[in-house]
PDB file of all heavy atoms in Angstrom:
ATOM      1  N   GLU A 338      31.276-105.406   8.849  1.00 96.00           N
ATOM      2  CA  GLU A 338      31.512-106.750   8.318  1.00 96.00           C
ATOM      3  C   GLU A 338      32.972-106.991   7.944  1.00 96.00           C
ATOM      4  O   GLU A 338      33.447-108.118   7.985  1.00 96.00           O
ATOM      5  CB  GLU A 338      30.631-107.010   7.097  1.00 96.00           C
ATOM      6  CG  GLU A 338      29.247-107.490   7.429  1.00 96.00           C
ATOM      7  CD  GLU A 338      28.505-108.035   6.217  1.00 96.00           C
ATOM      8  OE1 GLU A 338      29.148-108.268   5.155  1.00 96.00           O
ATOM      9  OE2 GLU A 338      27.286-108.239   6.319  1.00 96.00           O
ATOM     10  N   LYS A 339      33.689-105.930   7.583  1.00 95.00           N
ATOM     11  CA  LYS A 339      35.076-106.105   7.156  1.00 95.00           C
ATOM     12  C   LYS A 339      35.956-106.654   8.278  1.00 95.00           C
ATOM     13  O   LYS A 339      37.028-107.210   8.013  1.00 95.00           O
ATOM     14  CB  LYS A 339      35.654-104.785   6.651  1.00 95.00           C
ATOM     15  CG  LYS A 339      35.865-103.735   7.739  1.00 95.00           C
ATOM     16  CD  LYS A 339      36.430-102.443   7.174  1.00 95.00           C
ATOM     17  CE  LYS A 339      36.657-101.415   8.280  1.00 95.00           C
ATOM     18  NZ  LYS A 339      37.196-100.130   7.751  1.00 95.00           N
ATOM     19  N   ASN A 340      35.513-106.505   9.532  1.00 96.00           N
ATOM     20  CA  ASN A 340      36.293-107.001  10.670  1.00 96.00           C
ATOM     21  C   ASN A 340      36.003-108.464  10.998  1.00 96.00           C
ATOM     22  O   ASN A 340      36.620-109.022  11.907  1.00 96.00           O
ATOM     23  CB  ASN A 340      36.008-106.134  11.903  1.00 96.00           C
ATOM     24  CG  ASN A 340      36.416-104.686  11.702  1.00 96.00           C
ATOM     25  OD1 ASN A 340      37.470-104.412  11.141  1.00 96.00           O
ATOM     26  ND2 ASN A 340      35.581-103.757  12.139  1.00 96.00           N
ATOM     27  N   ALA A 341      35.062-109.064  10.271  1.00 96.00           N
ATOM     28  CA  ALA A 341      34.659-110.440  10.590  1.00 96.00           C
ATOM     29  C   ALA A 341      35.794-111.437  10.356  1.00 96.00           C
ATOM     30  O   ALA A 341      35.928-112.409  11.105  1.00 96.00           O
ATOM     31  CB  ALA A 341      33.437-110.831   9.761  1.00 96.00           C
ATOM     32  N   ARG A 342      36.608-111.220   9.325  1.00 97.00           N
ATOM     33  CA  ARG A 342      37.691-112.170   9.053  1.00 97.00           C
ATOM     34  C   ARG A 342      38.734-112.138  10.170  1.00 97.00           C
ATOM     35  O   ARG A 342      39.169-113.188  10.653  1.00 97.00           O
ATOM     36  CB  ARG A 342      38.371-111.867   7.717  1.00 97.00           C
ATOM     37  CG  ARG A 342      39.571-112.790   7.434  1.00 97.00           C
ATOM     38  CD  ARG A 342      40.038-112.679   5.992  1.00 97.00           C
ATOM     39  NE  ARG A 342      40.674-111.421   5.705  1.00 97.00           N
ATOM     40  CZ  ARG A 342      41.981-111.262   5.474  1.00 97.00           C
ATOM     41  NH1 ARG A 342      42.796-112.301   5.531  1.00 97.00           N
ATOM     42  NH2 ARG A 342      42.479-110.087   5.178  1.00 97.00           N
ATOM     43  N   ALA A 343      39.143-110.937  10.597  1.00 96.00           N
ATOM     44  CA  ALA A 343      40.154-110.840  11.650  1.00 96.00           C
ATOM     45  C   ALA A 343      39.636-111.416  12.963  1.00 96.00           C
ATOM     46  O   ALA A 343      40.341-112.163  13.646  1.00 96.00           O
ATOM     47  CB  ALA A 343      40.571-109.380  11.836  1.00 96.00           C
ATOM     48  N   ILE A 344      38.390-111.080  13.294  1.00 96.00           N
ATOM     49  CA  ILE A 344      37.846-111.512  14.583  1.00 96.00           C
ATOM     50  C   ILE A 344      37.443-112.979  14.557  1.00 96.00           C
ATOM     51  O   ILE A 344      37.768-113.749  15.469  1.00 96.00           O
ATOM     52  CB  ILE A 344      36.655-110.614  14.979  1.00 96.00           C
ATOM     53  CG1 ILE A 344      37.152-109.195  15.256  1.00 96.00           C
ATOM     54  CG2 ILE A 344      35.923-111.179  16.194  1.00 96.00           C
ATOM     55  CD1 ILE A 344      36.062-108.163  15.419  1.00 96.00           C
ATOM     56  N   GLY A 345      36.740-113.401  13.511  1.00 96.00           N
ATOM     57  CA  GLY A 345      36.267-114.778  13.445  1.00 96.00           C
ATOM     58  C   GLY A 345      37.352-115.773  13.059  1.00 96.00           C
ATOM     59  O   GLY A 345      37.624-116.728  13.790  1.00 96.00           O
ATOM     60  N   TYR A 346      37.999-115.527  11.921  1.00 97.00           N
ATOM     61  CA  TYR A 346      39.008-116.462  11.414  1.00 97.00           C
ATOM     62  C   TYR A 346      40.345-116.279  12.119  1.00 97.00           C
ATOM     63  O   TYR A 346      40.989-117.244  12.538  1.00 97.00           O
ATOM     64  CB  TYR A 346      39.168-116.263   9.913  1.00 97.00           C
ATOM     65  CG  TYR A 346      39.921-117.366   9.217  1.00 97.00           C
ATOM     66  CD1 TYR A 346      39.322-118.594   8.980  1.00 97.00           C
ATOM     67  CD2 TYR A 346      41.230-117.175   8.792  1.00 97.00           C
ATOM     68  CE1 TYR A 346      40.006-119.619   8.325  1.00 97.00           C
ATOM     69  CE2 TYR A 346      41.923-118.180   8.141  1.00 97.00           C
ATOM     70  CZ  TYR A 346      41.309-119.401   7.914  1.00 97.00           C
ATOM     71  OH  TYR A 346      42.002-120.412   7.282  1.00 97.00           O
ATOM     72  N   GLY A 347      40.756-115.017  12.277  1.00 96.00           N
ATOM     73  CA  GLY A 347      42.063-114.735  12.874  1.00 96.00           C
ATOM     74  C   GLY A 347      42.170-115.212  14.312  1.00 96.00           C
ATOM     75  O   GLY A 347      43.203-115.761  14.721  1.00 96.00           O
ATOM     76  N   SER A 348      41.120-115.027  15.104  1.00 95.00           N
ATOM     77  CA  SER A 348      41.159-115.451  16.507  1.00 95.00           C
ATOM     78  C   SER A 348      41.361-116.956  16.629  1.00 95.00           C
ATOM     79  O   SER A 348      42.087-117.425  17.508  1.00 95.00           O
ATOM     80  CB  SER A 348      39.862-115.050  17.221  1.00 95.00           C
ATOM     81  OG  SER A 348      39.785-113.659  17.361  1.00 95.00           O
ATOM     82  N   MET A 349      40.711-117.720  15.741  1.00 96.00           N
ATOM     83  CA  MET A 349      40.865-119.171  15.792  1.00 96.00           C
ATOM     84  C   MET A 349      42.299-119.576  15.488  1.00 96.00           C
ATOM     85  O   MET A 349      42.851-120.479  16.137  1.00 96.00           O
ATOM     86  CB  MET A 349      39.904-119.825  14.787  1.00 96.00           C
ATOM     87  CG  MET A 349      40.005-121.347  14.726  1.00 96.00           C
ATOM     88  SD  MET A 349      39.602-122.183  16.269  1.00 96.00           S
ATOM     89  CE  MET A 349      41.131-123.047  16.599  1.00 96.00           C
ATOM     90  N   LEU A 350      42.940-118.917  14.539  1.00 96.00           N
ATOM     91  CA  LEU A 350      44.319-119.277  14.196  1.00 96.00           C
ATOM     92  C   LEU A 350      45.280-118.904  15.328  1.00 96.00           C
ATOM     93  O   LEU A 350      46.248-119.633  15.580  1.00 96.00           O
ATOM     94  CB  LEU A 350      44.739-118.595  12.892  1.00 96.00           C
ATOM     95  CG  LEU A 350      43.918-118.968  11.649  1.00 96.00           C
ATOM     96  CD1 LEU A 350      44.624-118.492  10.385  1.00 96.00           C
ATOM     97  CD2 LEU A 350      43.657-120.464  11.566  1.00 96.00           C
ATOM     98  N   ILE A 351      45.007-117.798  16.003  1.00 94.00           N
ATOM     99  CA  ILE A 351      45.836-117.453  17.172  1.00 94.00           C
ATOM    100  C   ILE A 351      45.653-118.511  18.253  1.00 94.00           C
ATOM    101  O   ILE A 351      46.606-118.903  18.938  1.00 94.00           O
ATOM    102  CB  ILE A 351      45.473-116.057  17.713  1.00 94.00           C
ATOM    103  CG1 ILE A 351      45.784-114.981  16.666  1.00 94.00           C
ATOM    104  CG2 ILE A 351      46.257-115.760  18.993  1.00 94.00           C
ATOM    105  CD1 ILE A 351      45.330-113.592  17.062  1.00 94.00           C
ATOM    106  N   GLU A 352      44.425-118.994  18.406  1.00 94.00           N
ATOM    107  CA  GLU A 352      44.179-120.038  19.402  1.00 94.00           C
ATOM    108  C   GLU A 352      44.903-121.326  19.037  1.00 94.00           C
ATOM    109  O   GLU A 352      45.407-122.032  19.916  1.00 94.00           O
ATOM    110  CB  GLU A 352      42.683-120.307  19.540  1.00 94.00           C
ATOM    111  CG  GLU A 352      42.381-121.315  20.629  1.00 94.00           C
ATOM    112  CD  GLU A 352      40.912-121.409  20.959  1.00 94.00           C
ATOM    113  OE1 GLU A 352      40.121-120.653  20.378  1.00 94.00           O
ATOM    114  OE2 GLU A 352      40.555-122.244  21.809  1.00 94.00           O
ATOM    115  N   SER A 353      44.968-121.646  17.747  1.00 96.00           N
ATOM    116  CA  SER A 353      45.750-122.812  17.328  1.00 96.00           C
ATOM    117  C   SER A 353      47.215-122.613  17.696  1.00 96.00           C
ATOM    118  O   SER A 353      47.901-123.559  18.102  1.00 96.00           O
ATOM    119  CB  SER A 353      45.602-123.029  15.820  1.00 96.00           C
ATOM    120  OG  SER A 353      44.291-123.430  15.488  1.00 96.00           O
ATOM    121  N   GLY A 354      47.692-121.371  17.544  1.00 95.00           N
ATOM    122  CA  GLY A 354      49.057-121.065  17.957  1.00 95.00           C
ATOM    123  C   GLY A 354      49.257-121.288  19.447  1.00 95.00           C
ATOM    124  O   GLY A 354      50.299-121.795  19.882  1.00 95.00           O
ATOM    125  N   LEU A 355      48.250-120.931  20.244  1.00 93.00           N
ATOM    126  CA  LEU A 355      48.322-121.178  21.680  1.00 93.00           C
ATOM    127  C   LEU A 355      48.351-122.678  21.968  1.00 93.00           C
ATOM    128  O   LEU A 355      49.046-123.137  22.885  1.00 93.00           O
ATOM    129  CB  LEU A 355      47.135-120.530  22.391  1.00 93.00           C
ATOM    130  CG  LEU A 355      47.027-120.738  23.901  1.00 93.00           C
ATOM    131  CD1 LEU A 355      48.293-120.293  24.623  1.00 93.00           C
ATOM    132  CD2 LEU A 355      45.812-120.002  24.463  1.00 93.00           C
ATOM    133  N   GLY A 356      47.612-123.442  21.159  1.00 95.00           N
ATOM    134  CA  GLY A 356      47.643-124.894  21.301  1.00 95.00           C
ATOM    135  C   GLY A 356      49.038-125.449  21.074  1.00 95.00           C
ATOM    136  O   GLY A 356      49.488-126.363  21.780  1.00 95.00           O
ATOM    137  N   ILE A 357      49.745-124.904  20.083  1.00 96.00           N
ATOM    138  CA  ILE A 357      51.123-125.339  19.800  1.00 96.00           C
ATOM    139  C   ILE A 357      52.049-124.954  20.958  1.00 96.00           C
ATOM    140  O   ILE A 357      52.931-125.724  21.353  1.00 96.00           O
ATOM    141  CB  ILE A 357      51.635-124.711  18.483  1.00 96.00           C
ATOM    142  CG1 ILE A 357      50.778-125.184  17.300  1.00 96.00           C
ATOM    143  CG2 ILE A 357      53.101-125.058  18.258  1.00 96.00           C
ATOM    144  CD1 ILE A 357      50.827-126.664  17.036  1.00 96.00           C
ATOM    145  N   ILE A 358      51.846-123.751  21.511  1.00 95.00           N
ATOM    146  CA  ILE A 358      52.651-123.330  22.669  1.00 95.00           C
ATOM    147  C   ILE A 358      52.427-124.278  23.841  1.00 95.00           C
ATOM    148  O   ILE A 358      53.366-124.652  24.553  1.00 95.00           O
ATOM    149  CB  ILE A 358      52.309-121.880  23.055  1.00 95.00           C
ATOM    150  CG1 ILE A 358      52.853-120.908  21.992  1.00 95.00           C
ATOM    151  CG2 ILE A 358      52.877-121.525  24.429  1.00 95.00           C
ATOM    152  CD1 ILE A 358      52.428-119.456  22.196  1.00 95.00           C
ATOM    153  N   SER A 359      51.177-124.688  24.051  1.00 94.00           N
ATOM    154  CA  SER A 359      50.861-125.636  25.125  1.00 94.00           C
ATOM    155  C   SER A 359      51.568-126.963  24.898  1.00 94.00           C
ATOM    156  O   SER A 359      52.076-127.585  25.842  1.00 94.00           O
ATOM    157  CB  SER A 359      49.348-125.856  25.197  1.00 94.00           C
ATOM    158  OG  SER A 359      48.659-124.653  25.431  1.00 94.00           O
ATOM    159  N   LEU A 360      51.592-127.382  23.651  1.00 96.00           N
ATOM    160  CA  LEU A 360      52.279-128.632  23.291  1.00 96.00           C
ATOM    161  C   LEU A 360      53.763-128.542  23.617  1.00 96.00           C
ATOM    162  O   LEU A 360      54.354-129.479  24.186  1.00 96.00           O
ATOM    163  CB  LEU A 360      52.077-128.904  21.793  1.00 96.00           C
ATOM    164  CG  LEU A 360      52.827-130.089  21.194  1.00 96.00           C
ATOM    165  CD1 LEU A 360      52.310-131.401  21.767  1.00 96.00           C
ATOM    166  CD2 LEU A 360      52.674-130.081  19.671  1.00 96.00           C
ATOM    167  N   ILE A 361      54.374-127.412  23.276  1.00 96.00           N
ATOM    168  CA  ILE A 361      55.799-127.219  23.562  1.00 96.00           C
ATOM    169  C   ILE A 361      56.041-127.166  25.068  1.00 96.00           C
ATOM    170  O   ILE A 361      57.016-127.728  25.583  1.00 96.00           O
ATOM    171  CB  ILE A 361      56.309-125.940  22.876  1.00 96.00           C
ATOM    172  CG1 ILE A 361      56.262-126.112  21.350  1.00 96.00           C
ATOM    173  CG2 ILE A 361      57.729-125.599  23.336  1.00 96.00           C
ATOM    174  CD1 ILE A 361      56.568-124.839  20.579  1.00 96.00           C
ATOM    175  N   ALA A 362      55.124-126.502  25.798  1.00 94.00           N
ATOM    176  CA  ALA A 362      55.282-126.377  27.253  1.00 94.00           C
ATOM    177  C   ALA A 362      55.302-127.746  27.919  1.00 94.00           C
ATOM    178  O   ALA A 362      56.169-128.028  28.753  1.00 94.00           O
ATOM    179  CB  ALA A 362      54.156-125.521  27.823  1.00 94.00           C
ATOM    180  N   VAL A 363      54.365-128.613  27.551  1.00 94.00           N
ATOM    181  CA  VAL A 363      54.343-129.937  28.177  1.00 94.00           C
ATOM    182  C   VAL A 363      55.540-130.764  27.725  1.00 94.00           C
ATOM    183  O   VAL A 363      56.020-131.641  28.448  1.00 94.00           O
ATOM    184  CB  VAL A 363      53.016-130.672  27.886  1.00 94.00           C
ATOM    185  CG1 VAL A 363      52.948-131.184  26.459  1.00 94.00           C
ATOM    186  CG2 VAL A 363      52.808-131.824  28.863  1.00 94.00           C
ATOM    187  N   GLY A 364      56.043-130.465  26.521  1.00 94.00           N
ATOM    188  CA  GLY A 364      57.234-131.166  26.041  1.00 94.00           C
ATOM    189  C   GLY A 364      58.458-130.877  26.882  1.00 94.00           C
ATOM    190  O   GLY A 364      59.386-131.699  26.945  1.00 94.00           O
ATOM    191  N   MET A 365      58.482-129.716  27.547  1.00 93.00           N
ATOM    192  CA  MET A 365      59.602-129.348  28.406  1.00 93.00           C
ATOM    193  C   MET A 365      59.576-130.084  29.746  1.00 93.00           C
ATOM    194  O   MET A 365      60.589-130.180  30.433  1.00 93.00           O
ATOM    195  CB  MET A 365      59.593-127.833  28.660  1.00 93.00           C
ATOM    196  CG  MET A 365      59.794-126.997  27.416  1.00 93.00           C
ATOM    197  SD  MET A 365      61.440-127.231  26.700  1.00 93.00           S
ATOM    198  CE  MET A 365      61.408-126.059  25.345  1.00 93.00           C
ATOM    199  N   VAL A 366      58.404-130.579  30.125  1.00 91.00           N
ATOM    200  CA  VAL A 366      58.273-131.280  31.416  1.00 91.00           C
ATOM    201  C   VAL A 366      57.593-132.636  31.216  1.00 91.00           C
ATOM    202  O   VAL A 366      56.910-133.135  32.114  1.00 91.00           O
ATOM    203  CB  VAL A 366      57.452-130.416  32.415  1.00 91.00           C
ATOM    204  CG1 VAL A 366      58.263-129.211  32.861  1.00 91.00           C
ATOM    205  CG2 VAL A 366      56.127-129.971  31.803  1.00 91.00           C
ATOM    206  N   SER A 367      57.760-133.210  30.033  1.00 91.00           N
ATOM    207  CA  SER A 367      57.056-134.459  29.706  1.00 91.00           C
ATOM    208  C   SER A 367      57.425-135.600  30.655  1.00 91.00           C
ATOM    209  O   SER A 367      56.580-136.425  30.995  1.00 91.00           O
ATOM    210  CB  SER A 367      57.348-134.867  28.258  1.00 91.00           C
ATOM    211  OG  SER A 367      58.737-135.034  28.048  1.00 91.00           O
ATOM    212  N   SER A 368      58.664-135.643  31.109  1.00 88.00           N
ATOM    213  CA  SER A 368      59.062-136.721  32.018  1.00 88.00           C
ATOM    214  C   SER A 368      58.351-136.622  33.360  1.00 88.00           C
ATOM    215  O   SER A 368      58.182-137.617  34.067  1.00 88.00           O
ATOM    216  CB  SER A 368      60.581-136.691  32.241  1.00 88.00           C
ATOM    217  OG  SER A 368      60.976-135.451  32.813  1.00 88.00           O
ATOM    218  N   GLN A 369      57.898-135.433  33.697  1.00 88.00           N
ATOM    219  CA  GLN A 369      57.217-135.207  34.974  1.00 88.00           C
ATOM    220  C   GLN A 369      55.720-135.492  34.891  1.00 88.00           C
ATOM    221  O   GLN A 369      55.108-135.973  35.843  1.00 88.00           O
ATOM    222  CB  GLN A 369      57.440-133.759  35.422  1.00 88.00           C
ATOM    223  CG  GLN A 369      56.774-133.393  36.745  1.00 88.00           C
ATOM    224  CD  GLN A 369      57.004-131.927  37.103  1.00 88.00           C
ATOM    225  OE1 GLN A 369      57.861-131.248  36.519  1.00 88.00           O
ATOM    226  NE2 GLN A 369      56.240-131.428  38.061  1.00 88.00           N
ATOM    227  N   PHE A 370      55.129-135.210  33.713  1.00 90.00           N
ATOM    228  CA  PHE A 370      53.672-135.292  33.601  1.00 90.00           C
ATOM    229  C   PHE A 370      53.173-136.432  32.707  1.00 90.00           C
ATOM    230  O   PHE A 370      51.994-136.767  32.762  1.00 90.00           O
ATOM    231  CB  PHE A 370      53.120-133.965  33.067  1.00 90.00           C
ATOM    232  CG  PHE A 370      53.190-132.845  34.062  1.00 90.00           C
ATOM    233  CD1 PHE A 370      54.299-132.007  34.107  1.00 90.00           C
ATOM    234  CD2 PHE A 370      52.162-132.631  34.960  1.00 90.00           C
ATOM    235  CE1 PHE A 370      54.372-130.968  35.022  1.00 90.00           C
ATOM    236  CE2 PHE A 370      52.226-131.597  35.888  1.00 90.00           C
ATOM    237  CZ  PHE A 370      53.337-130.767  35.922  1.00 90.00           C
TER     238      PHE A 370
END
Side-chain angles (χ1 to χ4, degrees):
E338 275 193 13
K339 69 180 181 181
N340 298 318
R342 177 168 70 109
I344 293 170
Y346 194 75
S348 291
M349 178 62 240
L350 299 193
I351 296 174
E352 184 169 357
S353 292
L355 178 55
I357 298 297
I358 289 173
S359 301
L360 174 66
I361 294 172
V363 74
M365 297 294 184
V366 289
S367 58
S368 60
Q369 180 182 346
F370 288 91

